[in-house]
Amino acid sequence: MGSRSRSINKSATAVVPALLFLFLVHGANCFYLPGVAPEDFQKGDLLKLKVNKLTSIKTQLPYSYYSLPFCTPKKIVDSAENLGEVLRGDRIENSPYVFKMREPQMCTILCKITLDGKTAKQFKEKIGDEYRVNMILDNLPLVVPVRRLDQESRTVYQLGYHIGVKGQYAGSKEEKYFIHNHLAFTVKYHKDSQTNSARIVGFEVKPYSIKHEYEGKWSENTRLTTCDPHNKRTVVNSNTPQEVEAKKEIIFTYDVDYQESDVKWASRWDAYLLMSDDQIHWFSIVNSLMIVLFLSGMVAMIMLRTLYRDISRYNELETQEEALEETGWKLVHGDVFRPPSNSDLLCVYVGTGVQFLGMMLVTMIFAVLGFLSPSNRGGLMTAMLLLWVFMGIFAGYASARLYKMFKGTEWKKVTLRTAFMFPAIVFAIFFVLNAIIWGQKSSGAVPFGTMFALVLLWFGISVPLVFVGGYIGFRKPAIEDPVKTNKIPRQIPEQAWYMNPIFSILIGGILPFGAVFIELFFILTSIWLNQFYYIFGFLFLVFIILLITCAEITIVLCYFQLCSEDYLWWWRSYLTSGSSALYLFLYATFYFFTKLEITKLVSGMLYFGYMLIASYAFFVLTGTIGFYACFWFTRLIYSSVKID
C-alpha cells in the first residue's frame, strides 16, 4: 500500500498544473482525488476486512482491536501505516471475518469465548466508556446508519459500532453490561453492466446483542438454535441480550448482505462527508464571512481616507513654524524604526510564523484540490509535517533578513534559535502527553521508531534547511529604513487608558478570532467527536479572511498608536493579532465543558495539552501576519511624507 500511495503522489505532482486549470474553470464544482485506485471484484472474490483501533469520545484514548479478547485470525498481520496514521493511533490489522463478493452469508459463526474475571472487566470498562469498533473494507470505514428523528428521510452515519451497551432488565434497577456479538453487515456495490465486475461503494453494519443457544456439546459443526441459516432463522432484535459476566460464554456471529447501488465509486465518500447538518454549517460560515468582509471593507476605507488626508497635510507644511506645530505620527519619525528590545526573539518568532504560513497555504491548496481526502488516511497530518520541515528554509531566510535590518551580526545564533525554539517547546509538550498515553497502554502512544523518525526529520532536514535560508537571507543587502533614526530616544507622552498596551492587544485579537470561531467549532467536532471534516473550500476562504482581518486590525491599531506618539510598535503589532490565540484557547475550554463528556483526568490533560499546542501555533501564525502588515504599513507612510 505504501508503494502504491507513493506512486500516486508522484503522478499527482505531475498533474498539479492541469488540476489548477480545471479548478479555475470548474470552480463551483467540488471534486477530490481518492487516496487509492479503484478495485474491481468479480463474484466470489475474497474481500479483505481489516480491523482498526477502538475509539471513544469520552476518553480520547484509542486502543488496538485485539487489546480485547475478540475472535482472532490464525496469524495477526499489521498493515503498513503512514506517519499520519501512526500519529492518529491507527492500528490496522487483518480480521477473521471471511467475505466473498456478492455471496450473502447468514449466521456465520466466528468463534466462542468464555470470559474470566479479567476479560469481563476489560469488556465492561470499554462498554462503560462507550468505545466503538472501527473496521475497513476496500478502504471504506465501517458505519452505522442512524435515522434522524427530526427529519423523515435523513440518515446520518456514525463511524464504527459500539462494543456494547449498558442497561437494565424490565422490572430491575441493577445495571448490566451487554455486548454486541452479532453483526449484520451490508456491503453496497456498483455493478459494471459490461464486465459484470463490481466496485464497493458502501460498508454498513447493524450490531445486535443476542444470547446464542445450541444443543449438545460445542464443536466446529454446531448449529445454533437462536440463529440458523438452514431454518431461515435470523437475528432481527436484541430481546435476549448477551450479558458480560465472568464464566459466561459469548458466541460471535455475523451476517453479510450485498446490495446493488446506483452510487458510483467516485462518489462513494459523499455519504460519509455529509454527516453534520450542512444547512446550519453553510449559513454560519457565510454569515461569518459577510460580517468580517463588511468590517474589513469599513476599516480599509477609513484608513485610506484618513491617511490620504494626513499625508497631504504634512506635505503642504512648508515653514519652520508650521513644522514645529506638527502633531501625530510624523513626530516620531526619528524613532519609529529604532530596533525593539529583545529583537533577536522577535526575529525568531517572525521566522517561525513564516514557516507556519507557508505550510498552511500549501496544505490548504492541496486539500482544496482533493489530494488530502479522507480516503487517504493520515495524508493530511503527513503532508503538514513534511511541509513544515521543508518550509524551514523560508523560516531561516525571514529571521536572518529581519535580524540584519536590526544591525545584528550573529546570524548563526538567531538561525539556531529559529530552528530549535518552537519545535522544542512543541516536542516537549508532545513527549509528556505521549508518556501519559503510553502509561495508559493506548495505541495512541507514538512508538519509539516513529519518534526517532520525527527527530530525524527535525534534525536531518528542517535544521539544515533553516540554516540554508538564514545564510541566504543574511547575505542579502540589509533593508534600508525610509527615515533616519535619532541617536537619543524620544520620550513617549502619557497615553490614554484605551491605548494601554494590554488593553489594545486584547481588543485586537477579537476580530481575527471572530473570523474563524464558527469554523473552529466544526474543526473541534471533527477532531474530538470522531467525525470527518472535508469542507476545505470554506476553510480556505476563512483562512484568507483571517489573514486579511489580522493585517487590517493590526494596521488600524498601529496607526492609532503612532498618532499617540508611541513608537514601540514592533512587539505590539505581533501581539495584537497574535492575541487571538488566547481567545482560541478560551473557546476550546468552553467547548470542553459544554460539548464533550470527558471525565477522566488523563483525557482532560490530553485535550488541553493538544489545544495548547494548537493555540501556540495559531499565535505564531497570526502574530506574524500582523507584524508584516504593520511593517509594510509604517514603511509605506513614512516613505510617503517629506522629512526635513
Side-chain angles (χ1 to χ4, degrees):
M1 183 174 175
S3 61
R4 184 191 297 175
S5 62
R6 281 194 295 271
S7 64
I8 287 173
N9 287 338
K10 288 179 182 178
S11 61
T13 307
V15 298
V16 167
L19 285 171
L20 280 169
F21 175 75
L22 284 172
F23 181 69
L24 291 172
V25 175
H26 302 285
N29 299 325
C30 296
F31 69 94
Y32 70 90
L33 300 179
V36 293
E39 191 170 353
D40 295 315
F41 298 96
Q42 299 293 334
K43 187 174 182 180
D45 283 354
L46 191 66
L47 305 180
K48 294 179 181 179
L49 174 60
K50 297 180 180 181
V51 292
N52 200 353
K53 59 188 175 183
L54 308 174
T55 56
S56 167
I57 59 175
K58 290 186 71 174
T59 68
Q60 302 295 335
L61 291 168
Y63 288 90
S64 66
Y65 177 81
Y66 293 114
S67 63
L68 289 180
F70 287 115
C71 305
T72 59
K74 292 180 181 179
K75 182 182 179 183
I76 298 175
V77 180
D78 291 331
S79 297
E81 290 112 0
N82 59 39
L83 183 60
E85 287 177 308
V86 174
L87 293 176
R88 282 166 24 122
D90 285 350
R91 297 296 181 268
I92 302 170
E93 297 155 315
N94 61 330
S95 77
Y97 294 91
V98 179
F99 287 16
K100 291 186 177 179
M101 187 65 176
R102 291 157 60 193
E103 291 185 3
Q105 300 175 53
M106 187 186 297
C107 290
T108 304
I109 298 173
L110 201 60
C111 73
K112 178 178 75 72
I113 64 170
T114 303
L115 299 178
D116 56 23
K118 182 181 178 182
T119 52
K121 183 183 177 183
Q122 286 179 318
F123 270 120
K124 285 181 178 180
E125 286 178 351
K126 294 295 186 291
I127 292 171
D129 288 332
E130 299 179 7
Y131 269 87
R132 292 180 181 179
V133 177
N134 294 281
M135 297 182 177
I136 300 168
L137 181 67
D138 190 36
N139 205 44
L140 272 182
L142 179 68
V143 292
V144 178
V146 179
R147 179 79 60 180
R148 287 279 291 268
L149 297 176
D150 57 336
Q151 296 179 3
E152 295 180 1
S153 60
R154 182 69 184 273
T155 300
V156 294
Y157 296 94
Q158 294 179 349
L159 283 173
Y161 68 91
H162 284 105
I163 294 173
V165 293
K166 290 191 294 184
Q168 300 98 13
Y169 287 110
S172 172
K173 292 185 178 179
E174 185 181 1
E175 197 166 51
K176 298 283 187 180
Y177 293 84
F178 305 101
I179 188 170
H180 286 137
N181 59 324
H182 180 84
L183 303 176
F185 293 105
T186 301
V187 178
K188 295 182 178 181
Y189 64 92
H190 183 76
K191 189 177 176 182
D192 190 331
S193 57
Q194 295 181 348
T195 61
N196 205 34
S197 63
R199 293 176 178 177
I200 295 173
V201 296
F203 185 35
E204 301 175 3
V205 70
K206 288 184 179 179
Y208 298 96
S209 180
I210 179 77
K211 187 178 181 181
H212 285 305
E213 296 175 357
Y214 57 93
E215 296 176 353
K217 291 186 177 181
W218 181 264
S219 67
E220 290 184 2
N221 299 319
T222 297
R223 287 168 60 173
L224 303 175
T225 57
T226 48
C227 183
D228 189 355
H230 299 87
N231 296 326
K232 302 296 182 183
R233 183 180 177 87
T234 60
V235 177
V236 292
N237 55 52
S238 300
N239 289 339
T240 55
Q242 174 65 58
E243 274 187 50
V244 177
E245 290 293 343
K247 299 180 181 178
K248 291 264 187 183
E249 282 186 349
I250 300 178
I251 300 171
F252 289 92
T253 56
Y254 66 96
D255 302 333
V256 186
D257 185 31
Y258 293 88
Q259 291 181 6
E260 189 170 356
S261 173
D262 294 331
V263 177
K264 293 185 178 180
W265 188 89
S267 305
R268 65 178 186 164
W269 277 88
D270 290 358
Y272 293 78
L273 303 177
L274 296 175
M275 292 187 179
S276 59
D277 196 332
D278 55 342
Q279 288 184 345
I280 295 176
H281 183 98
W282 285 60
F283 174 76
S284 301
I285 298 298
V286 171
N287 185 55
S288 175
L289 292 177
M290 289 300 104
I291 292 172
V292 173
L293 281 171
F294 175 74
L295 290 174
S296 300
M298 291 270 297
V299 165
M301 187 172 66
I302 291 169
M303 289 304 303
L304 286 172
R305 291 185 63 183
T306 306
L307 272 176
Y308 180 77
R309 188 179 65 247
D310 283 353
I311 291 171
S312 299
R313 184 167 57 86
Y314 286 142
N315 288 338
E316 287 172 0
L317 296 174
E318 295 178 354
T319 65
Q320 187 68 22
E321 291 77 13
E322 288 176 321
L324 289 173
E325 294 174 2
E326 289 177 14
T327 57
W329 53 267
K330 190 181 176 184
L331 279 177
V332 295
H333 66 82
D335 299 276
V336 74
F337 292 107
R338 188 181 303 281
S341 57
N342 297 317
S343 58
D344 296 10
L345 186 62
L346 181 63
C347 296
V348 170
Y349 269 110
V350 168
T352 305
V354 169
Q355 189 174 5
F356 245 105
L357 178 61
M359 179 198 75
M360 292 299 294
L361 277 174
V362 178
T363 302
M364 291 279 188
I365 292 170
F366 273 88
V368 168
L369 291 174
F371 288 97
L372 304 176
S373 72
S375 59
N376 187 9
R377 285 184 310 277
L380 181 63
M381 191 171 291
T382 305
M384 290 180 73
L385 277 170
L386 293 177
L387 284 170
W388 163 264
V389 167
F390 289 111
M391 289 295 167
I393 191 167
F394 297 105
Y397 179 86
S399 60
R401 196 102 168 83
L402 189 63
Y403 181 69
K404 189 171 184 179
M405 192 191 79
F406 290 148
K407 307 295 189 291
T409 55
E410 300 178 353
W411 69 272
K412 293 179 183 177
K413 182 179 175 182
V414 170
T415 306
L416 194 69
R417 291 175 69 183
T418 305
F420 283 97
M421 186 173 164
F422 179 85
I425 293 172
V426 171
F427 192 82
I429 299 172
F430 175 73
F431 188 82
V432 172
L433 295 177
N434 194 62
I436 294 171
I437 299 171
W438 181 78
Q440 297 293 313
K441 298 180 180 178
S442 167
S443 67
V446 178
F448 174 78
T450 307
M451 195 73 80
F452 179 75
L454 291 174
V455 174
L456 193 65
L457 284 172
W458 179 14
F459 282 84
I461 301 177
S462 180
V463 173
L465 285 176
V466 173
F467 268 89
V468 170
Y471 175 75
I472 296 171
F474 199 75
R475 285 198 64 183
K476 288 269 188 179
I479 301 171
E480 295 292 334
D481 296 331
V483 290
K484 292 181 180 179
T485 302
N486 296 333
K487 292 182 179 180
I488 302 174
R490 179 188 177 91
Q491 187 175 359
I492 300 173
E494 188 176 345
Q495 301 292 302
W497 65 269
Y498 53 84
M499 290 307 296
N500 181 280
I502 296 176
F503 180 78
S504 63
I505 286 169
L506 292 177
I507 288 294
I510 294 175
L511 198 58
F513 172 74
V516 298
F517 88 96
I518 295 178
E519 196 68 20
L520 181 64
F521 169 81
F522 293 101
I523 294 173
L524 291 177
T525 300
S526 68
I527 294 172
W528 300 107
L529 295 183
N530 200 25
Q531 295 182 12
F532 284 118
Y533 181 88
Y534 198 61
I535 316 293
F536 288 117
F538 270 114
L539 185 62
F540 186 68
L541 284 175
V542 170
F543 182 69
I544 298 300
I545 292 296
L546 172 68
L547 301 186
I548 296 171
T549 309
C550 286
E552 290 189 345
I553 194 67
T554 310
I555 287 172
V556 170
L557 293 179
C558 180
Y559 173 71
F560 291 152
Q561 180 186 352
L562 294 175
C563 286
S564 301
E565 300 177 28
D566 182 356
Y567 52 83
L568 302 177
W569 62 271
W570 297 97
W571 272 109
R572 196 188 291 194
S573 64
Y574 196 99
L575 297 173
T576 295
S577 53
S579 66
S580 57
L582 174 64
Y583 297 104
L584 188 150
F585 190 78
L586 291 175
Y587 181 78
T589 305
F590 171 78
Y591 185 87
F592 178 84
F593 288 107
T594 57
K595 298 297 179 183
L596 300 182
E597 298 178 5
I598 293 175
T599 53
K600 293 188 177 182
L601 176 63
V602 170
S603 304
M605 291 173 67
L606 290 178
Y607 177 85
F608 284 105
Y610 285 126
M611 291 313 301
L612 184 64
I613 292 175
S615 300
Y616 187 32
F618 194 71
F619 164 75
V620 171
L621 173 68
T622 53
T624 300
I625 298 302
F627 170 81
Y628 271 116
C630 202
F631 180 67
W632 168 83
F633 172 74
T634 50
R635 290 183 61 83
L636 179 70
I637 62 172
Y638 283 100
S639 61
S640 301
V641 295
K642 293 183 291 186
I643 305 295
D644 295 327

